[in-house]
Amino acid sequence: MGGGAAYENDLNFKATELRLGLPGTGCTNEEQAVSGAKNNKRPLLETREERGSKEKSDPQHDDQETDPAPKARIVGWPPIRSYRKNSLQTKKAEAEAAAGMYVKVSMDGAPYLRKIDLKVYKGYPELLKALENMFKLTIGEYSEREGYNGSEYAPTYEDKEGDWMLVGDVPWDMFLTSCKKLRIMKGSEARGLGCGV
Amino acid sequence: MSEDDDRSPSPNSITDDSSQTRTYTTGSGPGPGPGSSSVLEYLAPCPDQVLENVLENVLWFLTSRKDRNAASLVCRSWYRVEALTRSDLFIGNCYAVSPKRATSRFTRIRSVTLKGRPRFADFNLMPPNWGAHLAPWVSAMALTYPWLEKVHLKRMSVTDDDLALLAESFSGFKELVLVCCDGFGTSGLAIVASRCRQLKVLDLIESEVSDDDVDWISYFPDTGTCLESLIFDCVECPIDFDALERLVANSPSLKKLRLNRHVSMGQLHRLMVQAPRLTHLGTGSFSPSEDVAQEHLKPIISNCHKLQIFWVLDSICDEGLQAVAATCKELRELRVFPFEAREDIEGPVSEVGLQAVSEGCRKLQSILYFCQRMTNAAVVAMSKNCPDLVVFRLCIMGRHRPDHVTGEPMDEGFGAIVMNCKKLTRLAVSGLLTDRAFAYIGKYGKIVRTLSVAFAGDSDMGLKYVLEGCPRLQKLEIRDSPFGDAALLSGLHHYYNMRFLWMSACNLSNQGCQQIAQALPRLVVEVIKHEDNLDMDENVDTLYMYRSLEGPRDDVPRFVSIL
């Protein structure tokens, strides 16, 4: 897995850089190329700081080296034979594979949550269509540059690191492994997820 | 070929009529054969010889190892006769005695049980290739036990060559059981399958089997087998299902079948149709998610009134254990394994489950319980409610974790167990424990034979209490506890009575271990270094010592030094 470090390198710093100049002039071809890269993220401004503090306090974040010593893995403890541990891990993986990948879907303004199985869909178009049907709304088409402009709503998701991303930013397979939950935001809020302002 | 070729043959043995040979010649062929004297002795029978014959006839029926060992100590004559009439050879530590010595003393063995590595090796506490090789044993037995029928191995290193030699040497071979073994692969299994025509039992339990791309199941003879038990759930390699189906169809005596995870439910159904006589069935492929297991299990458990042995994952939760307690009044053995073996999660089972089981399953004899949190109260309750407990193994997975309600060490709980469970012979402790817990064990654990300790105790006194107080202690395994040389030395009077002592990540020094080695010449004192720490510094990573008639073994790897 790429891990936090990889994401750091690919952050689009230019987008959040404070400069003098007209808005929109920062989006060069270079950035467009970057935004097409696999690991590109478009995090909401506020979540970046949240993420910083969250990582420090999250003791189970495998990617970081912040695990304090008492929680570090000890050889041979608990005393389970590797055969049994391995077979359980295989069982767990198989169970997850068999059981589907259910994520909660919330919509701003809707009274309750829904759950969908991401495994059922082959790609973004199918997923978006399903969401449209489920919540009786139109989401419109995704564009890398402008997200879901032209629609009242934009589908977003929370990834493994707790950041809110626009659905469609990353390749489908990566989305499957990193999506923890979905949230259909009202368009105005969602526009803050764009690379420009 | 007669198995008694060390006795001079009598003229009448030419006829091979066993009824005629019974009175004065050696027995022949499989099965107990009375009489062991030669013709000369018959012509002038002395009372001693008659007595010996009588003894031999009687001792054939003595099956208990302990009784046999006692009988062999009476006098030379009894020693000789006992050796002739023993058919089951049990060797608890393959390095305690050499193959040559064992096969010279016991000449009519039908079944051999050999144990190798110490148990903590299962948890990666020992570098690989430490030893416990089957090779010298199978070579010796190939020469001296042509009628060998059963081999049971635990924690031994077995190679494909060993299996080949075994398959070739013992024409009447019936039973192979490999528990926690490694070093062999599907090619070795194929040889056993094809050559051991009398094979009734092939049980592979928690062993590591390498995938040599050999379809070993198809090597069983097409014409039919005598198989009664086939267990291979630990074999990770895919198998050819058609070959398995044919095998099951060709094995009319098959009663026990445990498959690996490459057999699907649909395939399992097909097999069951072919084998209606099955009494034991194990599926390696059924892997429900946690939630499903809970819902499905409770209604099933509520019907299992006669259940005696139950091994389950902790995804059953305390609620599931309460259901077990409500229904399984005949339960003798319970093992609760962790689905997620981590220290830092809440955990689905706790003192609630243990308390419930103690109240519902009064006939409990053996328990292994992994959990994240526990209280002294629940452990005390079990000590009072289950007086038949022989084995009590509690693993609180968080190291040094106290009673989560009172904040106290778990001393009182384990103390109650040794105090109240008068039949207890095996104990494994965990959680926050002070020297007081060990004082209890030393004071009340008078028949404890096996003790496992991890991350426990305050000082040398802890170990001293145990070594001085437990006269029946045979197997002691300790890790990550603050016991040092002084404690080690306090056990000098007892180490010859023990099968082994294991101490890793304690406070031992080379000097202390050296003192033991010098004081007790019949003890093999192995200091095992972890492979990344091969400098000779004063601290001992791991001490493994055991009594032996043979002195230092000759197959020592470089990370082991024998003092």
Side-chain angles (χ1 to χ4, degrees):
Chain A
M1 181 175 142
Y7 281 121
E8 295 289 345
N9 292 336
D10 290 337
L11 264 182
N12 206 345
F13 283 108
K14 270 212 180 319
T16 54
E17 201 180 5
L18 288 175
R19 298 182 299 132
L20 289 176
L22 290 173
T25 54
C27 279
T28 61
N29 286 338
E30 185 195 288
E31 282 168 51
Q32 283 181 347
V34 169
S35 72
K38 261 196 170 186
N39 286 342
N40 188 51
K41 289 181 91 166
R42 289 196 257 202
L44 284 168
L45 258 178
E46 53 269 33
T47 60
R48 283 246 306 249
E49 281 124 39
E50 281 178 317
R51 173 159 55 107
S53 54
K54 194 179 175 188
E55 276 168 351
K56 286 197 191 84
S57 59
D58 182 355
Q60 278 145 43
H61 208 89
D62 287 341
D63 301 329
Q64 312 300 321
E65 287 171 334
T66 50
D67 280 340
K71 295 292 184 208
R73 290 276 167 86
I74 292 281
V75 174
W77 189 262
I80 306 275
R81 293 204 191 100
S82 15
Y83 151 70
R84 203 182 284 282
K85 237 187 209 161
N86 290 343
S87 83
L88 282 179
Q89 274 164 13
T90 313
K91 277 185 160 61
K92 207 175 159 198
E94 283 177 358
E96 277 169 3
M101 219 177 260
Y102 285 91
V103 294
K104 294 182 188 164
V105 188
S106 62
M107 187 171 93
D108 294 350
Y112 49 81
L113 295 179
R114 309 289 293 269
K115 250 187 165 177
I116 57 168
D117 181 0
L118 289 180
K119 286 235 142 145
V120 163
Y121 308 106
K122 295 193 189 69
Y124 284 122
E126 271 189 50
L127 171 65
L128 293 173
K129 191 134 192 222
L131 289 176
E132 285 180 336
N133 287 340
M134 194 181 272
F135 292 97
K136 311 280 181 271
L137 44 78
T138 44
I139 295 177
E141 275 204 321
Y142 168 88
S143 86
E144 264 176 40
R145 188 161 169 184
E146 291 180 330
Y148 290 93
N149 275 348
S151 158
E152 224 189 319
Y153 296 95
T156 63
Y157 71 98
E158 187 181 28
D159 71 5
K160 275 185 172 162
E161 273 137 32
D163 299 307
W164 286 94
M165 312 273 286
L166 207 57
V167 168
D169 273 3
V170 304
W172 176 251
D173 293 299
M174 179 167 293
F175 168 74
L176 280 183
T177 55
S178 58
C179 173
K180 272 172 49 192
K181 58 179 155 188
L182 284 164
R183 177 178 155 201
I184 303 187
M185 284 188 190
K186 280 248 158 61
S188 44
E189 234 184 302
R191 264 183 270 285
L193 290 172
C195 71
V197 172
Chain B
M1 172 182 153
S2 169
E3 56 182 357
D4 302 313
D5 52 352
D6 54 334
R7 296 265 178 267
S8 20
S10 89
N12 284 358
S13 67
I14 299 169
T15 62
D16 207 26
D17 180 348
S18 57
S19 61
Q20 244 195 329
T21 57
R22 183 169 304 168
T23 44
Y24 55 85
T25 59
T26 60
S28 60
S36 67
S37 57
S38 67
V39 176
L40 274 162
E41 287 182 34
Y42 171 71
L43 291 177
C46 52
D48 286 345
Q49 193 54 61
V50 172
L51 203 63
E52 211 168 279
N53 291 351
V54 169
L55 188 63
E56 199 174 321
N57 277 302
V58 168
L59 284 185
W60 274 117
F61 298 99
L62 201 63
T63 46
S64 153
R65 226 165 56 223
K66 265 197 198 155
D67 292 345
R68 283 192 160 272
N69 292 346
S72 71
L73 293 173
V74 170
C75 63
R76 283 202 179 279
S77 166
W78 281 52
Y79 177 93
R80 214 169 35 240
V81 174
E82 190 284 312
L84 281 175
T85 55
R86 189 182 293 226
S87 58
D88 300 328
L89 184 61
F90 174 87
I91 307 230
N93 174 3
C94 64
Y95 287 120
V97 65
S98 71
K100 185 154 188 267
R101 190 188 291 264
T103 55
S104 310
R105 176 174 168 186
F106 301 106
T107 53
R108 298 189 191 176
I109 296 295
R110 301 287 171 155
S111 135
V112 171
T113 302
L114 270 175
K115 295 190 181 181
R117 287 184 289 272
R119 198 176 73 95
F120 273 8
D122 291 354
F123 314 125
N124 300 331
L125 291 181
M126 175 111 87
N129 304 319
W130 169 81
H133 304 288
L134 181 64
W137 288 92
V138 71
S139 314
M141 295 189 306
L143 298 173
T144 53
Y145 300 150
W147 303 113
L148 192 65
E149 293 177 355
K150 302 183 193 181
V151 168
H152 290 220
L153 303 176
K154 190 166 188 180
R155 297 193 187 95
M156 298 284 298
S157 286
V158 180
T159 65
D160 291 330
D161 289 336
D162 297 334
L163 291 175
L165 185 57
L166 188 147
E168 282 161 22
S169 312
F170 310 116
S171 54
F173 195 71
K174 295 199 172 71
E175 225 177 272
L176 182 63
V177 177
L178 302 177
V179 181
C180 300
C181 295
D182 61 9
F184 62 102
T186 47
S187 3
L189 293 180
I191 301 172
V192 170
S194 67
R195 298 207 60 161
C196 299
R197 294 295 161 127
Q198 311 293 327
L199 197 68
K200 287 189 182 173
V201 173
L202 180 58
D203 289 351
L204 306 167
I205 298 167
E206 299 197 41
S207 295
E208 273 193 52
V209 183
S210 68
D211 189 354
D212 307 330
D213 261 340
V214 171
D215 177 27
W216 61 284
I217 293 277
S218 64
Y219 279 74
F220 282 99
D222 283 329
T223 47
T225 76
C226 322
L227 275 180
E228 294 175 11
S229 171
L230 179 63
I231 295 178
F232 62 95
D233 47 351
C234 62
V235 180
E236 281 295 308
C237 336
I239 50 156
D240 174 13
F241 181 74
D242 293 329
L244 179 63
E245 204 173 8
R246 274 198 304 278
L247 175 62
V248 172
N250 279 339
S251 306
S253 308
L254 195 64
K255 295 193 187 60
K256 292 189 194 182
L257 183 61
R258 270 170 41 187
L259 312 161
N260 68 10
R261 59 187 185 89
H262 292 278
V263 178
S264 71
M265 288 303 267
Q267 290 173 328
L268 184 64
H269 183 250
R270 273 162 65 182
L271 287 179
M272 287 170 73
V273 166
Q274 304 262 20
R277 263 179 291 266
L278 281 181
T279 59
H280 292 64
L281 179 64
T283 71
S285 66
F286 187 53
S287 43
S289 70
E290 296 168 63
D291 293 334
V292 174
Q294 250 276 60
E295 283 159 31
H296 286 183
L297 199 57
K298 269 171 83 174
I300 297 173
I301 282 291
S302 326
N303 286 315
C304 296
H305 300 276
K306 293 203 175 158
L307 193 63
Q308 293 200 3
I309 299 179
F310 191 40
W311 291 24
V312 70
L313 289 179
D314 65 1
S315 28
I316 195 181
C317 295
D318 285 329
E319 288 81 6
L321 289 175
Q322 285 165 331
V324 170
T327 314
C328 308
K329 301 300 178 192
E330 298 298 313
L331 198 66
R332 303 286 195 270
E333 178 180 324
L334 175 66
R335 296 198 194 191
V336 180
F337 295 99
F339 188 73
E340 272 190 274
R342 281 165 51 182
E343 298 187 60
D344 52 355
I345 56 177
E346 260 294 285
V349 298
S350 69
E351 73 278 2
V352 172
L354 192 73
Q355 177 92 28
V357 167
S358 80
E359 287 165 3
C361 310
R362 298 299 178 105
K363 299 188 185 176
L364 201 63
Q365 293 171 356
S366 168
I367 183 165
L368 169 61
Y369 197 90
F370 283 86
C371 60
Q372 298 287 3
R373 51 195 201 285
M374 186 49 59
T375 62
N376 281 305
V379 179
V380 170
M382 179 156 272
S383 78
K384 293 182 175 157
N385 293 333
C386 304
D388 291 337
L389 273 179
V390 174
V391 174
F392 184 80
R393 299 159 70 191
L394 176 62
C395 182
I396 303 168
M397 288 189 274
R399 288 163 288 141
H400 307 118
R401 202 157 279 185
D403 177 326
H404 83 98
V405 167
T406 65
E408 306 229 316
M410 292 300 299
D411 298 341
E412 297 307 312
F414 286 103
I417 291 283
V418 282
M419 228 187 293
N420 299 329
C421 302
K422 310 271 191 258
K423 304 182 188 176
L424 195 80
T425 57
R426 181 168 179 184
L427 180 65
V429 301
S430 60
L432 179 65
L433 293 171
T434 70
D435 288 342
R436 192 186 176 85
F438 297 98
Y440 283 135
I441 296 172
K443 184 169 180 192
Y444 297 106
K446 293 306 177 189
I447 58 168
V448 169
R449 288 203 305 261
T450 307
L451 179 63
S452 294
V453 178
F455 305 101
D458 302 321
S459 72
D460 284 347
M461 282 315 294
L463 182 54
K464 276 189 185 175
Y465 286 136
V466 169
L467 290 171
E468 287 165 3
C470 301
R472 296 290 173 88
L473 193 62
Q474 287 179 9
K475 297 182 260 183
L476 180 56
E477 44 190 27
I478 303 174
R479 63 167 294 185
D480 295 274
S481 301
F483 305 135
D485 296 342
L488 189 66
L489 288 166
S490 67
L492 277 174
H493 66 287
H494 188 61
Y495 293 136
Y496 278 159
N497 297 332
M498 291 178 66
R499 191 180 294 173
F500 71 80
L501 168 66
W502 166 289
M503 286 177 70
S504 58
C506 298
N507 289 344
L508 300 174
S509 75
N510 267 303
Q511 202 183 357
C513 298
Q514 193 69 254
Q515 279 182 278
I516 301 282
Q518 276 159 7
L520 300 174
R522 295 285 209 183
L523 213 62
V524 172
V525 179
E526 294 195 14
V527 170
I528 304 169
K529 289 248 164 223
H530 296 144
E531 287 206 318
D532 51 1
N533 179 27
L534 285 170
D535 321 307
M536 277 306 290
D537 65 33
E538 257 312 293
N539 289 331
V540 164
D541 292 332
T542 299
L543 166 71
Y544 178 55
M545 59 192 215
Y546 49 89
R547 65 185 171 192
S548 172
L549 294 172
E550 312 302 342
R553 55 190 174 107
D554 55 12
D555 59 357
V556 172
R558 63 191 175 91
F559 52 82
V560 172
S561 45
I562 297 186
L563 302 181

